[in-house]
């Protein structure tokens, strides 16, 4: 079913930018294959938009490539109603994305049309968006931690203000729930959520159940579900980033949650393959791997007088394979990654954060030496148990063989409790650090007691032998 309301809104936004009609710039359709439109006679640059006449009204499409006299276009909506020889009218410029503080509390689609029925969004006349990337030497260094309200992340994978993190997980292990926990617990000024290529059901659930009234008041949600065209899904991610850049330019600290980076890559793959780009790595054409860093590098700290964008990009690891091409490429360009484990999720351990496989590359810059040592000590105990759990499970390990393993066995229930958290529970950064200190202090005290008992037993044995 065609969403006539959204199409009408989009057309009205574009009407002011229609190029005066000339035979020399207009063209006609000669071929439609899948979602790709081929036209001849169109003279417009790649990236510009056109109106395509159909039996159901005008359709908006974007030029994505050309070959000799043929121009390839990708539509924003369904191609239903397209006729052979239909006229293609180039637009002189793109419709502008409405950027203003009125975006807070709103839900929009991939090109800025409202989805919440609250009317149009006012554009800021005083703001002129600059598409140029920030000079890396003018960016402020990451020096402050960002509280996300999740104890395991605050303690073991501390996130810095302006950091770009990946959230790697398979399907159904709690990515969306963890994103919702961070929206409720973060200390960021503004939250921008991009729900791209995922289930349409999640959009309403995320807004009503996860964000809630309080969270929604300081959030902007960009929704481009899986049934949208590849172009709309591609634009959904870029729109979420552009909105984040606007708020950063206003001096605000932004938390960008983009779900998911994999769907962005898949949308670009669909477009690139449709216009004839050859596949390279497991079906992904080279343009995918050039667009990923272009999108990711737009986040981060701004220059003097600007705020920051702390970004979390979810990456869907198909078949729980962390060597998936998109997962591998993303891990190389991000400032750290959080891995969600299916084994932990199946055991009822939520959030299912695998602290062994996760890392924050800026944690040493935003935390004290004491914090890093505490996290390292607890992580070592947890890892030591995981390395020996098979021996422990079958009874092959004898108590007293290794004091560190004994300590890990005794502390495992406490560590598991520490790493788990209820969905609606918010644990601030300071409280997370205090609880981490308490666990380590208890572990050290217990180790001291065991050493004292061992020394007494050894002394008693010597006396008995003497």
């Amino acid at each position: 079913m065609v969403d006539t309301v959204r199409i009408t809104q989009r057309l009205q936004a574009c009407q002011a930018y229609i190029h005066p009609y000339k035979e020399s710039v207009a063209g006609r359709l000669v071929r439609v294959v899948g979602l790709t439109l081929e036209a001849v006679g169109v003279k417009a640059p790649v990236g510009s938009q056109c109106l395509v006449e159909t039996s159901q009204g005008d359709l908006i499409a974007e030029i994505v490539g050309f070959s000799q006299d043929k121009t390839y276009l990708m539509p924003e909506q369904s191609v239903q109603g397209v006729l052979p020889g239909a006229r293609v009218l180039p637009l002189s410029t793109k419709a502008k994305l409405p950027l203003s503080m009125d975006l807070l509390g709103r839900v929009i689609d991939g090109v800025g049309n409202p989805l919440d029925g609250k009317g149009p969004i006012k554009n800021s006349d005083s703001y002129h968006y600059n598409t140029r990337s920030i000079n890396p030497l003018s960016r402020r260094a990451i020096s402050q931690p960002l509280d996300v309200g999740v104890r395991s992340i605050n303690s073991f994978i501390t996130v810095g203000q302006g950091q770009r993190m990946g959230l790697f997980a398979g399907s159904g292990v709690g990515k969306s729930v963890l994103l919702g926990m961070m929206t409720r617990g973060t200390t960021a000024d503004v939250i921008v959520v991009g729900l791209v290529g995922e289930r349409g059901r999640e959009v309403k659930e995320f807004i009503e159940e996860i964000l809630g009234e309080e969270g929604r008041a300081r959030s902007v949600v960009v929704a481009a579900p899986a049934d949208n065209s590849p172009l709309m899904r591609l634009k959904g991610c870029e729109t979420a980033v552009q909105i984040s850049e606007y708020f950063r330019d206003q001096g605000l600290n932004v938390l960008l949650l983009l779900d998911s980076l994999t769907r962005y890559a898949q949308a670009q793959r669909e477009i690139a393959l449709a216009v004839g780009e050859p596949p390279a790595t497991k079906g992904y054409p080279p343009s995918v791997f050039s667009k990923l860093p272009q999108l990711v590098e737009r986040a981060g700290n701004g220059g003097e007088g600007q705020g920051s964008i702390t970004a979390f990009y979810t990456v869907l690891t198909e078949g729980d394979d962390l060597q998936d091409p998109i997962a591998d490429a993303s891990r190389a360009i991000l400032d750290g990654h959080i891995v969600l484990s299916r084994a932990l999720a199946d055991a009822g351990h939520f959030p299912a954060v695998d602290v062994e496989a996760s890392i924050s590359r800026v944690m040493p810059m935003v935390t004290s030496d004491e914090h890093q040592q505490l996290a390292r000590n607890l992580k070592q105990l947890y890892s030591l148990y995981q390395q020996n759990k098979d021996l422990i499970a079958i009874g092959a390990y004898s108590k007293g063989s290794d004091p560190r393993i004994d300590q890990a066995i005794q502390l495992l229930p406490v560590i598991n409790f520490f790493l788990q958290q209820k969905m609606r529970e918010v644990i601030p950064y300071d409280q997370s650090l205090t609880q981490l200190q308490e666990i380590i202090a208890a572990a050290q005290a217990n180790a001291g007691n065991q050493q004292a008992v061992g020394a007494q037993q050894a002394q008693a044995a010597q006396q008995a032998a003497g």
Side-chain angles (χ1 to χ4, degrees):
M1 181 177 178
V2 180
D3 191 342
T4 56
V5 175
R6 284 176 56 194
I7 294 176
T8 302
Q9 290 174 343
R10 183 66 174 152
L11 288 173
Q12 288 174 348
C14 290
Q15 288 301 322
Y17 305 101
I18 296 180
H19 194 285
Y21 175 74
K22 297 178 183 178
E23 287 295 338
S24 60
V25 296
R28 59 186 179 85
L29 283 182
V30 295
R31 190 166 183 251
V32 177
V33 179
L35 292 177
T36 308
L37 310 179
E38 294 183 15
V40 294
V42 178
K43 295 181 181 178
V46 173
S48 59
Q49 294 176 325
C50 299
L51 291 183
V52 181
E53 295 178 349
T54 75
S55 62
Q56 300 180 1
D58 290 338
L59 172 72
I60 299 173
E62 183 174 307
I63 297 177
V64 294
F66 61 85
S67 176
Q68 296 181 352
D69 62 336
K70 287 186 179 180
T71 303
Y72 301 113
L73 302 98
M74 190 67 63
E76 289 186 358
Q77 299 90 22
S78 169
V79 296
Q80 186 175 359
V82 175
L83 299 171
R87 184 169 294 177
V88 180
L89 300 172
L91 304 180
S92 61
T93 184
K94 292 184 179 181
K96 294 180 181 178
L97 179 69
L99 295 173
S100 69
M101 299 302 290
D102 290 345
L103 279 167
L104 292 176
R106 302 300 300 271
V107 183
I108 61 176
D109 66 6
V111 290
N113 296 322
L115 296 176
D116 50 13
K118 295 183 178 181
I121 301 170
K122 183 180 177 182
N123 196 6
S124 177
D125 296 330
S126 61
Y127 179 76
H128 300 284
Y129 178 67
N130 186 0
T131 57
R132 291 181 300 177
S133 60
I134 299 177
N135 186 327
L137 298 181
S138 66
R139 288 183 184 268
R140 300 191 319 277
I142 299 175
S143 58
Q144 296 181 350
L146 179 73
D147 186 0
V148 296
V150 180
R151 182 165 49 198
S152 56
I153 298 177
N154 283 340
S155 303
F156 290 97
I157 324 160
T158 309
V159 178
Q161 217 172 72
Q163 185 175 359
R164 288 80 55 92
M165 290 285 286
L167 188 58
F168 291 73
S171 57
V173 296
K175 295 189 302 296
S176 298
V177 173
L178 182 57
L179 292 179
M181 293 172 68
M182 288 191 282
T183 60
R184 283 190 297 269
T186 184
T187 55
D189 302 317
V190 175
I191 303 165
V192 179
V193 183
L195 302 175
V196 177
E198 301 295 338
R199 296 179 292 273
R201 172 184 59 82
E202 288 184 335
V203 177
K204 190 170 184 178
E205 287 183 359
F206 194 93
I207 294 168
E208 295 183 354
E209 298 182 12
I210 296 179
L211 277 181
E213 289 297 327
E214 184 179 349
R216 186 173 177 180
R218 57 173 178 150
S219 303
V220 183
V221 179
V222 180
D227 59 347
N228 282 192
S229 69
L231 184 63
M232 288 292 282
R233 282 180 269 139
L234 198 72
K235 286 182 175 295
C237 292
E238 295 170 354
T239 294
V241 175
Q242 189 173 342
I243 291 172
S244 300
E245 290 173 322
Y246 166 76
F247 287 114
R248 177 182 64 188
D249 292 348
Q250 308 308 307
L252 300 174
N253 294 321
V254 183
L255 177 64
L256 170 62
L257 306 174
L258 196 54
D259 186 11
S260 70
L261 199 61
T262 305
R263 304 304 185 195
Y264 176 80
Q266 290 174 347
Q268 174 60 20
R269 176 176 63 179
E270 291 179 45
I271 294 173
L273 293 179
V275 299
E277 187 177 351
T281 307
K282 291 190 177 180
Y284 288 98
S287 63
V288 171
F289 301 100
S290 66
K291 288 186 77 70
L292 283 176
Q294 291 175 14
L295 184 77
V296 169
E297 283 297 318
R298 292 167 64 180
N301 284 337
E304 293 302 324
Q306 294 181 320
S308 65
I309 301 175
T310 306
F312 283 84
Y313 304 93
T314 67
V315 180
L316 180 63
T317 53
E318 298 181 5
D320 296 331
D321 180 16
L322 291 176
Q323 306 308 318
D324 175 81
I326 300 303
D328 195 45
S330 302
R331 189 166 48 241
I333 59 178
L334 293 169
D335 300 324
H337 51 272
I338 298 172
V339 178
L340 299 187
S341 165
R342 187 173 299 278
L344 291 175
D346 291 343
H349 184 292
F350 291 102
V353 177
D354 186 347
V355 294
E356 288 185 286
S358 305
I359 189 171
S360 171
R361 293 184 178 135
V362 305
M363 183 175 175
M365 308 175 196
V366 298
T367 57
S368 64
D369 293 339
E370 181 189 6
H371 182 175
Q372 295 169 42
Q373 186 62 45
L374 291 173
R376 193 180 301 115
N377 290 343
L378 202 62
K379 194 172 182 178
Q380 287 172 350
L381 288 174
Y382 181 78
S383 180
L384 187 61
Y385 179 87
Q386 298 301 322
Q387 294 169 12
N388 294 275
K389 66 178 181 180
D390 291 338
L391 292 176
I392 298 169
I394 64 175
Y397 173 75
S398 301
K399 185 178 179 181
S401 301
D402 188 333
R404 290 281 292 171
I405 296 178
D406 294 340
Q407 189 179 13
I409 294 172
Q410 188 170 5
L411 283 179
L412 182 67
V414 180
I415 296 174
N416 282 334
F417 177 80
F418 180 81
L419 294 176
Q420 295 181 60
Q421 189 171 329
K422 296 179 181 178
M423 188 177 73
R424 300 192 178 278
E425 186 179 10
V426 175
I427 301 177
Y429 179 83
D430 291 338
Q431 183 179 344
S432 302
L433 187 55
T434 300
Q435 293 176 351
L436 179 63
Q437 292 171 334
E438 291 174 352
I439 292 178
I440 294 298
Q444 291 175 343
N446 181 64
N449 292 335
Q450 288 183 347
Q451 288 178 355
V453 170
Q456 291 176 357
Q457 291 176 345
Q459 185 177 4
Q462 288 178 354
Q463 291 176 353

